[in-house]
């Protein structure tokens, strides 16, 4: 099975940088997703990491260490609209089912 | 743009009623999924389908069934709704051979 752990809530200041961590234990591993979900809305895809290292997409970057079972999402130059829940999800090897963490609710304050 | 739509944003039903939640995607995706999302529990997979008329149980299938008669449509059925099925239900689809799931807007179901 899979076990995914991420902080429940975080608060950060507008313009700052925040790092949201995710650790996982899985019986097989293909890759790790990050999704953003605003309150009352559907999750939207941010990134999918398969290989170790950092992938950057504008203000958002995602890092993966397969050997450590660890990932983080880095948000730079925070904006108020970044207030949302951030979901970490793992796709096991050769399996269609993705397992989601419980999400980290990020609040950006002025 | 991928579009996944769900039949209702909000639904209120009574205990014991049969409930149908419909999901339609317009991108010819083979795989479709039904999740429920509850505070503190995250997204949990109920059922998924990887082709027409094919279905597989997810992690919490009890009390639910599904139907996939056409490729673009995946229905979730609550045979006899119970109060513990009050939740946000999210449908998603994915093209075979790719990794990203695209989600619908969700249906918030309340069972009284």
């Amino acid at each position: 099975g899979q076990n995914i752990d991420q902080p429940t809530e975080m608060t950060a200041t507008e313009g700052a940088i925040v790092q949201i961590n995710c650790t996982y234990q899985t019986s097989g591993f293909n890759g790790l997703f990050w999704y953003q979900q605003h309150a009352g809305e559907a999750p939207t895809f941010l990134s999918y990491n398969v290989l170790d290292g950092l992938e950057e997409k504008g203000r958002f970057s995602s890092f993966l260490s397969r050997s450590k079972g660890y990932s983080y999402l880095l948000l730079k130059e925070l904006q108020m609209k970044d207030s949302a829940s951030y979901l970490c999800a793992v796709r096991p090897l050769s399996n269609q089912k993705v397992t989601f963490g419980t999400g980290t609710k990020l609040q950006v304050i002025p | 743009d991928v579009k996944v739509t769900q039949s209702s944003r909000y639904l209120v039903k009574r205990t014991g009623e049969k409930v149908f939640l419909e999901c339609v995607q317009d991108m010819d995706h083979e795989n479709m999924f039904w999740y429920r999302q509850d505070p503190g529990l995250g997204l949990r997979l109920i059922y998924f389908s990887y082709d027409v008329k094919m279905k597989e149980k997810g992690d919490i299938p009890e009390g639910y069934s599904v139907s996939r008669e056409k490729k673009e449509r995946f229905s979730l059925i609550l045979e006899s709704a119970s109060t513990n099925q009050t939740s946000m239900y999210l449908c998603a689809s994915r093209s075979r051979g790719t990794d990203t799931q695209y989600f619908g807007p969700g249906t918030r179901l309340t069972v009284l």
Side-chain angles (χ1 to χ4, degrees):
Chain A
Q2 291 89 42
N3 186 38
I4 300 172
D5 193 33
Q6 53 181 131
T8 305
E9 293 182 347
M10 297 182 72
T11 301
T13 306
E14 192 176 13
I17 299 173
V18 71
Q19 177 174 313
I20 302 174
N21 296 325
C22 173
T23 58
Y24 61 90
Q25 297 93 39
T26 66
S27 53
F29 180 81
N30 190 40
L32 187 143
F33 294 91
W34 283 99
Y35 280 85
Q36 179 191 60
Q37 186 179 24
H38 286 99
E41 297 182 14
T44 55
F45 171 81
L46 290 177
S47 64
Y48 183 55
N49 291 64
V50 176
L51 302 176
D52 285 354
L54 185 70
E55 292 191 10
E56 298 185 59
K57 278 186 190 178
R59 293 189 299 114
F60 291 12
S61 303
S62 55
F63 172 83
L64 176 67
S65 169
R66 294 174 68 111
S67 61
K68 294 182 179 177
Y70 168 68
S71 173
Y72 66 74
L73 182 68
L74 193 71
L75 291 74
K76 302 176 187 174
E77 300 168 19
L78 278 172
Q79 302 176 10
M80 299 299 290
K81 67 178 182 180
D82 297 331
S83 292
S85 287
Y86 292 85
L87 311 180
C88 170
V90 171
R91 185 175 179 197
L93 197 62
S94 304
N95 191 311
Q96 304 205 47
K97 294 193 293 183
V98 172
T99 299
F100 285 82
T102 54
T104 299
K105 187 175 181 181
L106 173 67
Q107 183 182 14
V108 180
I109 57 176
Chain B
D1 269 357
V2 175
K3 195 159 176 88
V4 182
T5 57
Q6 295 182 227
S7 49
S8 306
R9 289 300 304 269
Y10 299 93
L11 208 53
V12 180
K13 295 291 182 182
R14 296 207 175 274
T15 302
E17 279 193 77
K18 190 168 185 176
V19 182
F20 292 87
L21 302 182
E22 304 283 340
C23 175
V24 177
Q25 50 93 5
D26 66 356
M27 286 303 291
D28 204 35
H29 286 173
E30 293 81 10
N31 301 319
M32 296 187 75
F33 307 82
W34 274 107
Y35 295 88
R36 63 178 283 177
Q37 186 173 32
D38 301 286
L41 296 176
L43 278 159
R44 293 180 291 166
L45 183 65
I46 305 171
Y47 266 97
F48 68 102
S49 168
Y50 50 88
D51 208 341
V52 176
K53 297 192 186 295
M54 307 298 282
K55 60 185 179 184
E56 284 206 25
K57 293 179 180 179
D59 299 316
I60 51 163
E62 297 77 21
Y64 302 95
S65 61
V66 290
S67 172
R68 184 111 182 257
E69 295 297 318
K70 293 185 178 180
K71 192 175 186 180
E72 66 271 18
R73 188 179 298 269
F74 191 35
S75 302
L76 181 69
I77 303 153
L78 288 67
E79 293 290 341
S80 177
S82 62
T83 54
N84 63 12
Q85 291 178 311
T86 292
S87 186
M88 170 69 88
Y89 289 87
L90 288 159
C91 174
S93 74
R94 178 172 68 87
S95 179
R96 188 179 295 152
T98 67
D99 299 300
T100 305
Q101 292 186 27
Y102 296 90
F103 285 85
T107 296
R108 185 164 292 283
L109 172 67
T110 302
V111 182
L112 301 174

